[in-house]
């Protein structure tokens, strides 16, 4: 049974008002336990709206969201409990830090779970470790940290709840390459250690190509593609038509093919392309 | 919850009311409010209500938008009703229990007060729903031109007001976002006692203030970078002009106020 399933999920913002807009239109998705799903789509395609339905922050205009087979919007308590199981890291979470110290901010989630004091501080330490937040920062004010550090603290605040499902909305937006790689590695580590299901929204094709096992592509509130990265990135023309790009490596592979170099299908990360080209050279091919 | 706050919201449109000069609408609204305070008895209230219904119909804005706007002040309305209901003495006693008494005078007064508040709020909504905040402050600045000569900081005041109006929706959106992020970590704004809920709101204020100050700073820098130095010698991109329709509206609202005054004279 999938951990998360949406059944003809639709969401309309400001229904009946002057600025009514359909953000999600009949979305049917199943996410199995332990999956690593990447969600891509251009600006305004409904990604953030979709992920906010997964933990019941937004209620569907129509349709249902099922967690372990049960409707998460059945009642208030269920919706509240869902928040601890499905950890959601918002887009630009650094603007949402509010406690006096870093440690207290990370502890906000576990405290709301009504855990014991010792358990809370154990969780804080664990989450800080996963997210690469050094303990020297614990007593600092979150407002004094750099942007990248704030982002890590915000992610740690969600991981401290030890969610079974970790949902991240553009966790790497606006960070430098080293910062991006660091955060992606933290996420992978958390998943490896806990077996959590991960849903990652991203603008960066490179990021999702590297770490997601499955990609879901949104366009104007609808799911237009759903499959492995290799499958999705083979539809170059369709992706471009909806304003997305393919990873640089996939682009290079395509151009090489156009030049007559027999690069195999499914090369969409730099490493895969490098290996494929090196293998071709060994065979004494054209390059 | 925060989405119910419709203050400063504008509904785009091209109706007769939308097209009026903001100065006309401001004056007409003041006249309307004055009439509402002059109004004494049911007949006057009915006339005011009729005018409001006509104006809302002409504006083409759905009536539900006005009801939604009333929701946040529901508490004030109920409070007014209760106070007037129990604190007014006179007339026949309708209901009596322990120290609480409802008299016919109290019931009437409560009804009229509630009607007055609702008419007042709905009428001012009509102004903000049909006028962009920018047009509104421009209009206000021009109307206050005479007291500028006396040295009152009219331009600064209207600039402050337009900035405030501009940022209200932004701040509401931001508060919503922060509340969502905290809800995602299990904050509970919906259940629990009143004090518990008030406590849950506190962590909301910190990031909200931080971001409001950050925004204010950024805005100040941006304005200075474009050489803003106050109202001295500033010209306007959009010149406001009064059309015949504006004058007609002004005359109409004068007649309306006179009518209400006459009605009040006869105690109606
Ligand atoms: N609070 C809101 N009120 C009204 N409309 C909204 C709101 N939030 C989003 N929308 C609209 O819904 C649509 C989907 O927005 P959403 O934030 O889900 O997009 P997104 O895919 O996350 O975009 P981005 O990549 O820019 O984050 C957009 O057209 C947007 O204008
Ligand atoms: Mg988004």
């Amino acid at each position: 049974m999938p951990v998360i399933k949406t059944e003809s999920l639709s969401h309309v913002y400001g229904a009946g008002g002057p600025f009514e807009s359909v953000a999600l239109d009949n979305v049917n998705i199943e996410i199995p336990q332990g999956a690593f799903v990447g969600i891509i789509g251009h600006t305004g395609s409904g990604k953030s709206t979709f992920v906010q339905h997964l933990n019941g922050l937004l209620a569907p205009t129509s349709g249902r969201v099922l967690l372990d087979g049960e409707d998460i919007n059945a009642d208030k308590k269920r919706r509240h409990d869902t928040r601890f199981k499905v950890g959601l890291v918002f887009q630009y979470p650094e603007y949402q830090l509010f406690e006096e110290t870093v440690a207290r901010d990370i502890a906000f989630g576990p405290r709301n779970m009504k855990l014991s004091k010792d358990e809370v501080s154990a969780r804080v330490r664990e989450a800080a470790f996963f997210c690469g937040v050094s303990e020297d920062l614990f007593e600092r004010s979150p407002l004094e940290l750099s942007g990248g550090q704030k982002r890590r603290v915000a992610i740690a605040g969600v991981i401290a709840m030890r969610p079974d499902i970790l949902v991240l909305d553009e966790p790497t937006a606006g960070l430098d390459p080293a910062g991006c790689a660091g955060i992606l590695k933290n996420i992978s580590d958390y998943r490896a250690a806990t077996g959590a299901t991960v849903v990652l929204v991203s603008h960066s094709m490179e990021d999702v190509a590297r770490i997601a096992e499955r990609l879901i592509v949104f366009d104007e509130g609808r799911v237009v593609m759903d499959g492995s990265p290799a499958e999705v990135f083979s539809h170059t023309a369709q992706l471009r038509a909806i304003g997305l790009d393919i990873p640089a490596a996939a682009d290079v592979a395509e151009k090489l093919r156009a030049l007559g170099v027999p690069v195999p299908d499914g090369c969409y990360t730099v490493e895969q392309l490098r290996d494929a080209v090196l293998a071709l050279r060994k065979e004494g091919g054209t390059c | 919850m925060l989405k119910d706050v419709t203050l400063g919201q504008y509904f785009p449109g091209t109706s007769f009311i939308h097209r009026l000069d903001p100065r006309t609408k401001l004056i007409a609204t003041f006249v309307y409010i004055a009439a509402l305070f002059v109004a004494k008895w049911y007949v006057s209230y009915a006339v005011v209500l009729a005018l409001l219904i006509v104006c809302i119909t002409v504006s083409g804005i759905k009536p539900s938008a006005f009801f939604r706007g009333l929701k946040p002040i529901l508490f004030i309305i109920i409070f007014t009703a209760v106070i007037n209901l129990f604190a007014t003495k006179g007339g026949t006693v309708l209901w009596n229990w322990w120290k609480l008494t409802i008299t016919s005078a109290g019931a009437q007064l409560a009804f009229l007060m509630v009607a007055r508040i609702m008419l007042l709020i709905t009428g001012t909504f009509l102004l903000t729903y049909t006028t962009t905040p920018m047009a509104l402050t421009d209009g206000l600045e021009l109307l206050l031109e005479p007291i500028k000569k006396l040295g009152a900081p009219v331009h600064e005041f209207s600039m402050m007001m337009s900035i405030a109006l501009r940022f209200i929706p932004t701040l509401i959106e931001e508060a919503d976002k922060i509340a969502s992020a905290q809800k995602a970590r299990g904050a509970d704004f919906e259940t629990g006692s009143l004090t518990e809920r008030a406590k849950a709101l506190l962590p909301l204020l910190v990031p909200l203030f931080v971001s409001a100050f950050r925004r204010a700073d950024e805005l100040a820098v941006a304005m200075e970078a474009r050489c803003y130095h106050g109202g001295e010698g500033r010209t306007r991109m959009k010149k406001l002009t009064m059309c015949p329709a504006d004058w007609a509206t002004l005359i109409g609202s004068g007649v309306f106020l006179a009518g209400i005054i006459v009605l009040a004279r006869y105690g109606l």
Side-chain angles (χ1 to χ4, degrees), chain A:
Chain A
M1 187 171 61
V3 272
I4 291 186
K5 184 173 178 195
T6 66
E7 288 177 347
S8 27
L9 175 65
S10 298
H11 190 90
V12 182
Y13 281 109
F19 304 105
E20 185 176 287
S21 87
V22 179
L24 288 179
D25 184 6
N26 192 21
V27 174
N28 293 287
I29 282 176
E30 289 189 10
I31 298 175
Q33 166 66 41
F36 196 134
V37 180
I39 295 187
I40 54 181
H42 68 90
T43 286
S45 56
K47 306 179 298 290
S48 299
T49 308
F50 175 70
V51 295
Q52 286 178 61
H53 279 85
L54 300 184
N55 71 346
L57 273 180
L58 290 179
T61 305
S62 68
R64 296 198 302 165
V65 181
L66 307 180
L67 177 68
D68 294 322
E70 290 183 58
D71 189 348
I72 62 168
N73 293 301
D75 55 67
K76 252 187 195 170
K77 182 165 169 354
R78 226 198 142 75
R79 213 167 25 223
H80 191 66
D81 293 345
T82 304
R83 310 253 160 92
F84 300 126
K85 278 198 196 151
V86 183
L88 172 63
V89 180
F90 268 78
Q91 208 164 354
Y92 301 109
E94 56 269 32
Y95 295 123
Q96 292 143 15
L97 302 174
F98 60 93
E99 285 281 11
E100 285 152 51
T101 68
V102 168
R104 282 183 61 82
D105 206 285
I106 300 178
F108 184 71
R111 274 207 314 275
N112 283 330
M113 295 170 85
K114 311 246 164 12
L115 298 174
S116 73
K117 237 182 167 168
D118 296 338
E119 179 67 20
V120 170
S121 59
R123 293 271 184 113
V124 170
R125 220 160 289 131
E126 177 195 276
F129 170 75
F130 271 125
C131 298
V133 176
S134 106
E135 301 208 1
D136 306 338
L137 299 178
F138 274 16
E139 294 311 312
R140 295 265 292 274
S141 158
L143 302 177
E144 298 168 359
L145 306 182
S146 77
Q149 284 170 326
K150 281 186 195 164
R151 185 81 58 98
R152 284 163 189 274
V153 171
I155 297 175
V158 170
I159 282 186
M161 303 191 298
R162 246 185 242 161
D164 298 333
I165 301 154
L166 182 62
V167 184
L168 303 109
D169 196 351
E170 312 226 7
T172 58
L175 296 184
D176 65 4
C180 288
I183 282 184
L184 293 181
K185 179 161 182 315
N186 299 148
I187 296 167
S188 301
D189 288 349
Y190 177 73
R191 176 166 176 253
T194 60
T197 310
V198 177
V199 178
L200 175 79
V201 176
S202 183
H203 261 133
S204 156
M205 300 300 133
E206 257 71 32
D207 288 357
V208 288
R210 180 150 323 188
I211 76 173
E213 293 163 355
R214 173 176 156 200
L215 290 183
I216 298 174
V217 185
F218 275 80
D219 182 38
E220 303 197 343
R222 278 186 297 270
V223 174
V224 288
M225 276 186 243
D226 183 349
S228 69
E231 273 164 28
V232 169
F233 290 133
S234 65
H235 297 106
T236 319
Q238 204 186 340
L239 283 175
R240 294 218 166 109
I242 59 172
L244 292 177
D245 223 341
I246 54 173
D251 198 31
V252 171
E254 195 188 359
K255 288 194 172 122
L256 283 173
R257 261 177 238 130
L259 292 172
V261 183
V263 183
D265 285 339
C267 287
Y268 48 84
T269 66
V270 176
E271 290 78 12
Q272 286 167 340
L273 182 64
R274 179 195 61 200
D275 294 345
V277 171
L278 287 178
L280 282 174
R281 268 184 92 147
K282 227 178 238 156
E283 287 167 22
T286 39
C287 49

Side-chain angles (χ1 to χ4, degrees), chain B residues 167-207:
Chain B
F167 279 99
I168 285 171
T170 313
L171 283 180
I172 289 175
E173 210 183 294
E174 196 134 300
D176 246 358
K177 219 188 255 170
I178 295 168
S180 295
Q182 293 185 359
K183 275 193 221 158
R185 292 205 270 158
D188 194 350
F189 300 109
E190 279 146 28
T191 56
S193 69
L194 204 61
T195 36
E196 273 169 26
R197 271 189 278 175
K199 250 192 213 154
L201 282 179
L202 204 65
L204 207 68
L205 294 178
V206 179

